[in-house]
Each structure stands twice: as structure tokens, then as C-alpha cells.
Amino acid sequence: RPHDLIVTAAGVPGATLAFDDTADFQSRGITLRNVTTVTFTVKDSYPGQKQHDLAIRDIEFFVKSSS
């Protein structure tokens, strides 16, 4: 489970998102504008059950309509 996740957009660090030590669904929001590339870097993680295992189950992106 990730503890801190760095979100970088177009090579510019945008934000560090912190997560709780739980396997339950967690929602975090960040606003990015005019972006075509996003990179997620795990800065820190909670201990896994076996060595250095870590999983991110789902990442969703939403786009606001310009209408």
C-alpha cells in the first residue's frame, strides 16, 4: 500500500498525495490543466506481507467538458 505518491504532470511536480494504511477504497483529488502526460512515483509505502510488495488497484482520470 502506498503511503505517499508524487504526481508529476509534463515533468513538473504537481502534488504529493498521502494515503491511509488500509486496503479500503481511498479517493484523492488533484487538478491539472493542459496535461498530456502524468507520472506517479511512490515516495513511501506501508510494510507489505511479503518483502517489498506494493499494489495500486485503480487510478481514475476525469475530464471536464468544455461545453
Side-chain angles (χ1 to χ4, degrees):
R1 295 169 313 279
H3 184 287
D4 296 309
L5 196 65
I6 300 171
V7 181
T8 304
V12 179
T16 299
L17 305 177
F19 294 90
D20 301 324
D21 188 10
T22 178
D24 296 334
F25 177 82
Q26 299 181 55
S27 177
R28 302 294 184 271
I30 183 171
T31 300
L32 302 170
R33 300 187 193 294
N34 303 319
V35 173
T36 57
T37 304
V38 178
T39 302
F40 298 94
T41 305
V42 177
K43 181 179 176 185
D44 195 12
S45 63
Y46 294 103
Q49 294 177 352
K50 297 179 182 177
Q51 299 177 0
H52 302 288
D53 54 350
L54 181 131
I56 297 173
R57 182 174 40 211
D58 193 14
I59 296 178
E60 292 182 318
F61 295 92
F62 297 94
V63 178
K64 288 187 178 182
S65 174
S66 60
S67 57

